[in-house]
Amino acid sequence: MTNYIDLLTRLAAFRPKTQRGKRLASTAIVLSAASVLSFALFATAPDPIPEERVEKAWPISSFLSAPMEIAPVFKAYGKIDSTNIAFIQSDSREIIHKVNVREGQHVKSGEVLIELDKTELRLRLREAAAELALHEAGLKSIEVDYELARETQSHYAGVYKVSQQKLARHMELFATRMISQSLLDEAVQMASTSTIAYQDHKRQMADFPNQILKQKARVEQAQSALDQANINLQKANIKAPFDGPVLSVNASLGSHAVPGETLLIVAQSAGFEVRVPVPNVYIDRLRNSLENGRAVKAKIEGADSPADMVLSRLSSNVKTGQSGVDAFFGITADNLEHLPEIGRLLSLSIILPPEANVVAIPVQSLYEHDRIYEVIDNRLNAIDVMRIGEYQDEEGEHRILVRWHNQQAGQEIISTQLPKPITGLLIDRASS
């Protein structure tokens, strides 16, 4: 510092003779003075005190784990269908006399849906009855003839025997030339006539059972025709084959019912089911439940379901565009008239069999689909978990069911979604 002052003193005492020398001297004096002041500032400045760095504690909320047995639930969409849909047709071409139902109406089994004109059908029934009476009378006539023929059989046999004996005597007499040839010829003619009559009678007797069987067949045929005519008359009242809704009505009053054409379509209520595409993650559990006889139920979301839906089977093929298979839930209900319409898409909650030793955690506790964090000595510790399903508690809060290795009751789990949680992160409990 003293050297800088001496230098400044010498520069101040220096007296240049030229104008240029004066300018250079002035510049040198200013620069030297600035350097001296800067050095003085740094030399006299206080020594800095290093600031102590404090680790940030992240505020979190937490809860204590409580493993228990809970039935997992997952959401899915399903479509109402029926295992039995009847396309009702008519077997005869008759005029439609009356249509008693309309589309959407619920009908009971045996209820008359459509009435056909019965005029021609009644005539056919009377004609079939007359044909049956005719063949029954013919059968009785044949049976009477058979009975009479049996009574005269002994007479034909007697006449035949007498004629043969007479012929033998005439032949003996002719041999001794006691009678003429004409008398012998008469005896031969009488014997031949009685033989022919006797053989014809035997043929008739042998054929009577066949005639009776043939006539009985005609009676059976006529009886079948009568029964068919009666059935056709009954079919003029087209009835519902089962309970269920009417899906479509194609019949109109006054038109002819054409055999083979559908008049109306009815679905069986007892055959209603819901077809639900199921994600692959749940397929094995559903299949195991079916094999072990454990019921898997479903409920309609956002509405009071009129029926319980119980898993009945799984499809055996994967449809194009799907990654999983379809599950079929059968519907059982006391009031089948208020079931959802066929084809309606429903939002469902599928209730799986209860799982033991699972913990229900809030959605914000789960990280990256398979990780949660517990608190140990005010620091986080990561735990890998297995996701079991979902659950809705009594307050309506959505929960996720998880299970992990070496889990214990009372583990403190955070319920706050942190931006970048890691093991060892310091936390501060905002609430517990």
Side-chain angles (χ1 to χ4, degrees):
M1 186 70 180
T2 304
N3 293 333
Y4 279 106
I5 295 175
D6 291 341
L7 179 60
L8 290 174
T9 304
R10 291 177 182 178
L11 289 174
F14 179 70
R15 295 291 185 269
K17 296 180 180 180
T18 64
Q19 190 67 28
R20 182 180 178 185
K22 290 180 180 181
R23 288 197 300 270
L24 291 174
S26 299
T27 303
I29 292 172
V30 171
L31 292 174
S32 298
S35 299
V36 170
L37 290 174
S38 297
F39 180 77
L41 287 174
F42 282 107
T44 59
D47 294 333
I49 301 175
E51 182 179 356
E52 183 180 358
R53 187 173 181 179
V54 179
E55 183 179 3
K56 180 180 178 180
W58 293 82
I60 58 99
S61 298
S62 64
F63 65 95
L64 299 181
S65 66
M68 61 183 67
E69 183 179 78
I70 303 176
V73 177
F74 69 93
K75 310 297 182 184
Y77 288 95
K79 189 177 181 180
I80 294 291
D81 202 352
S82 178
T83 57
N84 192 10
I85 297 179
F87 294 81
I88 300 176
Q89 303 171 350
S90 173
D91 295 335
S92 59
R93 185 180 177 85
E94 305 297 335
I95 297 176
I96 297 176
H97 178 67
K98 192 175 183 181
V99 180
N100 298 324
V101 294
R102 290 292 179 265
E103 181 177 343
Q105 184 175 340
H106 190 93
V107 296
K108 297 293 185 180
S109 177
E111 182 178 344
V112 178
L113 309 178
I114 296 175
E115 298 179 28
L116 303 180
D117 184 72
K118 302 179 180 65
T119 304
E120 292 187 12
L121 295 174
R122 289 193 179 99
L123 290 176
R124 293 170 194 162
L125 180 63
R126 291 172 58 188
E127 182 180 356
E131 188 73 14
L132 175 61
L134 179 64
H135 287 298
E136 287 178 341
L139 176 61
K140 290 181 180 180
S141 178
I142 294 174
E143 289 175 344
V144 169
D145 291 342
Y146 182 42
E147 186 63 28
L148 293 175
R150 290 176 61 183
E151 293 178 357
T152 59
Q153 185 173 4
S154 59
H155 299 286
Y156 277 97
V159 172
Y160 170 74
K161 184 177 180 181
V162 169
S163 66
Q164 293 299 317
Q165 291 174 351
K166 184 177 181 180
L167 175 62
R169 288 195 304 270
H170 278 68
M171 292 181 67
E172 291 176 357
L173 292 174
F174 180 77
T176 58
R177 299 184 180 275
M178 295 183 67
I179 60 173
S180 64
Q181 182 67 41
S182 60
L183 290 176
L184 179 61
D185 292 341
E186 289 179 2
V188 171
Q189 184 179 4
M190 291 180 60
S192 298
T193 302
S194 64
T195 300
I196 293 172
Y198 182 58
Q199 293 297 329
D200 185 64
H201 180 74
K202 288 176 65 177
R203 181 190 61 78
Q204 291 181 7
M205 289 295 296
D207 190 52
F208 266 121
N210 297 329
Q211 293 185 31
I212 291 174
L213 290 176
K214 187 185 297 185
Q215 192 63 26
K216 284 183 176 180
R218 294 192 183 100
V219 171
E220 288 294 331
Q221 193 173 29
Q223 182 65 56
S224 298
L226 177 63
D227 293 341
Q228 185 61 55
N230 191 37
I231 291 174
N232 292 338
L233 182 60
Q234 294 177 3
K235 285 183 177 180
N237 291 332
I238 299 176
K239 300 179 181 180
F242 37 63
D243 295 355
V246 177
L247 304 184
S248 175
V249 177
N250 302 321
S252 58
L253 185 65
S255 60
H256 279 84
V258 179
E261 289 190 2
T262 301
L263 296 177
L264 46 82
I265 304 174
V266 179
Q268 186 179 22
S269 295
F272 269 40
E273 62 182 8
V274 182
R275 188 185 189 111
V276 183
V278 177
N280 283 327
V281 67
Y282 296 110
I283 292 175
D284 290 338
R285 295 165 69 179
L286 293 179
R287 186 173 287 113
N288 291 335
S289 297
L290 283 175
E291 293 174 354
N292 297 325
R294 304 176 68 187
V296 177
K297 295 185 178 182
K299 294 290 185 181
I300 300 176
E301 281 288 302
D304 294 332
S305 177
D308 288 331
M309 304 179 192
V310 181
L311 178 66
S312 59
R313 67 190 188 281
L314 295 174
S315 64
S316 56
N317 65 321
V318 178
K319 288 187 174 181
T320 304
Q322 292 184 358
S323 59
V325 301
D326 290 342
F328 296 90
F329 288 82
I331 300 177
T332 56
D334 295 332
N335 190 356
L336 297 176
E337 295 187 12
H338 296 89
L339 289 175
E341 300 81 4
I342 288 181
R344 178 179 289 276
L345 191 65
L346 302 175
S347 177
L348 304 174
S349 294
I350 311 300
I351 306 170
L352 299 173
E355 293 280 347
N357 200 29
V358 294
V359 178
I361 64 173
V363 177
Q364 57 268 25
S365 292
L366 189 66
Y367 291 85
E368 300 178 3
H369 303 291
D370 61 355
R371 185 178 300 125
I372 63 174
Y373 289 89
E374 67 172 330
V375 178
I376 301 178
D377 297 331
N378 292 332
R379 293 188 179 274
L380 297 185
N381 179 50
I383 300 176
D384 292 329
V385 298
M386 179 173 62
R387 188 166 178 169
I388 306 301
E390 301 175 357
Y391 172 71
Q392 193 170 24
D393 61 18
E394 296 178 354
E395 288 76 24
E397 295 292 332
H398 184 70
R399 302 285 179 175
I400 299 176
L401 301 180
V402 296
R403 184 187 294 134
W404 62 90
H405 184 62
N406 293 331
Q407 71 179 19
Q408 298 177 357
Q411 289 180 265
E412 187 177 1
I413 308 299
I414 69 170
S415 58
T416 302
Q417 191 69 208
L418 298 176
K420 292 182 178 180
I422 57 173
T423 296
L425 184 68
L426 182 66
I427 57 93
D428 179 24
R429 296 177 183 81
S431 61
S432 59

